[in-house]
Amino acid sequence: MIPFLDLKGLNSQYKEELIEACIKVIDSGWYIQGNECKEFETEFAKYCGTKYAIGVANGLDALILILRAYKQLGIINDGDEVIVPSNTYIASILAISQNNLVPVLVEPDINTYLIDPSKIEEKVTSKTKAILPVHLYGQTCEMDKINKIAKKYNLKVIEDSAQSHGAYFKDKRSGNLGDASGFSFYPGKNLGALGDGGAVTTNDEELANTIKALGNYGSHKKYENLYKGVNSRLDEIQASMLRVKLKYLDNEIEKRREIANYYLQNIENSNLILPTVRAKDNHVWHLFVIRTNKRDELQNYLAENDIQTLIHYPIPPHKQEAYKEWNIKSYEISEQIHNEVLSLPISSVQPLEDTKRIIQIINNFN
């Protein structure tokens, strides 16, 4: 079986360094908010090009805490609206709902699967306070157009960078393209921990300090609580794992690009639509997503040939039971995407032979 993602193989490349890092933390006797987390925050902020990075428990918390901090600072209030793509993973929308804010769904571009900037402005109202673009599958959104709209209406721009570690838009990396950004370090991400983890990046000192306090029980100083906060912290062992893997992230991305380019150059099947890439540095290929109106047949055919694939994502947010108040709504482009997308295996440790085998099998599909 060709796996969709060989996590064991991916992490075994760095096994000795990961063990050494883990032992260092164990021997330190300090497991929460210690030196490893501080060092990772510094290193990740430098990597993204931002002034600040704040480690949190997971990617969802990163987005929740950004919005929560803006509410704490009086910039956003209960009932305000946040524009978000209609075809994103549900976490992007949950972060809005959990802050008692209103998600306003905007359809994506059918070619890139990213939020369509030309459809944003018509959804802006007096209640709109932020745009939450999602760099889905590893490609950055058209941030110049999005930031222009945000500036016109005095809106905050909050990137969902859970799938775009290291991706560029022009001369800036994901995480430094808006007012703040939320990252996930779920194990399957391009920069994945060996457990859960997340981070917020920003250049806003007041926002950074507020998020740091909110994620630590609302406390800037031990036993003194400024806010009604939560417990959302990146622990020392996961920070130490991420410090090891961050050193190799750009190399990992280049290997993914090699596989993606090989797919793009060699998959030849009229039943399929291959990914659209705006520019080489825009995409870090967290996922290689094709589309076909024969999606289920193709997935079964690949499984019969021992090739594992996944669907990102089978059900759009507006059709989920969690948002049953939206179930009668129609977002035709999103529904088409969710009905047609299929993610092929891709990782930095995928052998060329496996990639060739996948292409051969796909090219024989009809």
Side-chain angles (χ1 to χ4, degrees):
M1 170 69 75
I2 297 175
F4 176 75
L5 177 62
D6 180 7
L7 277 179
K8 183 177 178 180
L10 196 156
N11 287 314
S12 68
Q13 304 173 95
Y14 317 118
K15 184 175 180 179
E16 296 306 317
E17 287 186 73
L18 292 170
I19 291 172
E20 184 180 341
C22 188
I23 290 171
K24 182 181 175 183
V25 173
I26 293 170
D27 289 346
S28 75
W30 196 305
Y31 310 123
I32 299 288
Q33 291 191 311
N35 186 66
E36 291 298 316
C37 187
K38 291 176 185 176
E39 290 296 323
F40 174 71
E41 289 173 339
T42 299
E43 291 159 5
F44 192 63
K46 182 179 179 181
Y47 180 83
C48 294
T50 57
K51 292 180 180 177
Y52 308 101
I54 305 99
V56 297
N58 54 67
L60 174 57
D61 279 6
L63 295 176
I64 289 173
L65 287 167
I66 293 168
L67 290 166
R68 175 80 183 276
Y70 278 132
K71 289 180 69 178
Q72 194 70 54
L73 295 170
I75 295 169
I76 297 177
N77 297 294
D78 282 0
D80 284 340
E81 297 171 351
V82 179
I83 289 172
V84 64
S86 54
N87 65 314
T88 184
Y89 181 56
I90 201 167
S92 312
I93 296 170
L94 288 172
I96 300 167
S97 299
Q98 289 192 24
N99 274 290
N100 200 26
L101 303 171
V102 180
V104 176
L105 306 186
V106 171
E107 288 269 56
D109 183 314
I110 189 61
N111 297 308
T112 64
Y113 317 130
L114 303 172
I115 192 169
D116 188 340
S118 70
K119 296 176 181 175
I120 291 176
E121 194 164 4
E122 65 190 50
K123 295 295 183 78
V124 176
T125 72
S126 60
K127 296 290 286 182
T128 307
K129 291 298 186 293
I131 305 172
L132 202 160
V134 182
H135 305 312
L136 202 62
Y137 306 151
Q139 183 165 218
T140 52
C141 298
E142 295 179 87
M143 294 305 296
D144 50 355
K145 297 177 182 178
I146 292 170
N147 284 325
K148 184 177 180 180
I149 296 168
K151 185 176 181 181
K152 180 178 179 180
Y153 294 99
N154 193 29
L155 308 177
K156 294 298 182 183
V157 176
I158 302 164
E159 300 171 74
D160 184 335
S161 299
Q163 299 186 9
S164 60
H165 314 69
Y168 276 92
F169 182 80
K170 297 184 177 179
D171 62 343
K172 290 185 177 181
R173 272 194 167 124
S174 172
N176 191 26
L177 302 172
D179 295 289
S181 179
F183 285 89
S184 167
F185 303 127
Y186 181 78
K189 305 299 185 184
N190 287 18
L191 179 61
L194 274 71
D196 230 331
V200 173
T201 56
T202 184
N203 291 307
D204 184 332
E205 182 178 12
E206 186 177 30
L207 181 71
N209 288 336
T210 305
I211 290 170
K212 198 170 187 69
L214 283 170
N216 186 36
Y217 300 96
S219 174
H220 279 285
K221 184 179 179 181
K222 195 168 185 178
Y223 302 131
E224 294 182 15
N225 302 79
L226 295 175
Y227 317 121
K228 297 174 183 176
V230 296
N231 176 11
S232 181
R233 303 176 297 200
L234 180 65
D235 70 64
E236 285 289 282
I237 284 183
Q238 295 307 331
S240 73
M241 303 292 102
L242 290 165
R243 290 187 69 196
V244 170
K245 296 181 71 175
L246 180 60
K247 295 184 296 183
Y248 303 103
L249 179 55
D250 285 344
N251 186 53
E252 295 265 343
I253 290 169
E254 285 308 312
K255 290 179 179 178
R256 285 175 172 270
R257 284 180 176 147
E258 289 174 8
I259 294 170
N261 288 334
Y262 203 86
Y263 277 146
L264 291 170
Q265 292 165 10
N266 293 284
I267 292 177
E268 296 177 350
N269 189 314
S270 59
N271 291 304
L272 309 183
I273 297 172
L274 297 177
T276 297
V277 183
R278 290 198 317 272
K280 178 178 180 289
D281 285 345
N282 286 162
H283 215 313
V284 293
W285 298 105
H286 172 58
L287 298 170
F288 188 95
V289 180
I290 60 174
R291 270 179 42 230
T292 174
N293 57 15
K294 297 182 176 181
R295 191 262 306 283
D296 293 343
E297 295 97 313
L298 176 58
Q299 186 173 41
N300 290 334
Y301 167 75
L302 291 170
E304 289 168 2
N305 284 276
D306 294 325
I307 298 169
Q308 183 185 28
T309 58
L310 294 178
I311 300 171
H312 296 88
Y313 301 95
I315 304 172
H318 71 281
K319 295 299 183 182
Q320 297 283 359
E321 178 67 17
Y323 290 97
K324 57 186 176 184
E325 66 272 22
W326 293 345
N327 288 174
I328 61 171
K329 293 186 177 183
S330 176
Y331 294 89
E332 293 182 1
I333 296 174
S334 288
E335 288 163 21
Q336 180 182 353
I337 290 170
H338 286 270
N339 286 331
E340 294 181 351
V341 290
L342 185 67
S343 300
L344 301 184
I346 188 168
S347 81
S348 62
V349 294
Q350 182 169 304
L352 179 59
E353 293 75 17
D354 285 359
T355 305
K356 288 180 176 179
R357 170 70 175 160
I358 293 163
I359 292 168
Q360 177 193 7
I361 297 299
I362 286 176
N363 286 346
N364 289 332
F365 175 73
N366 53 48

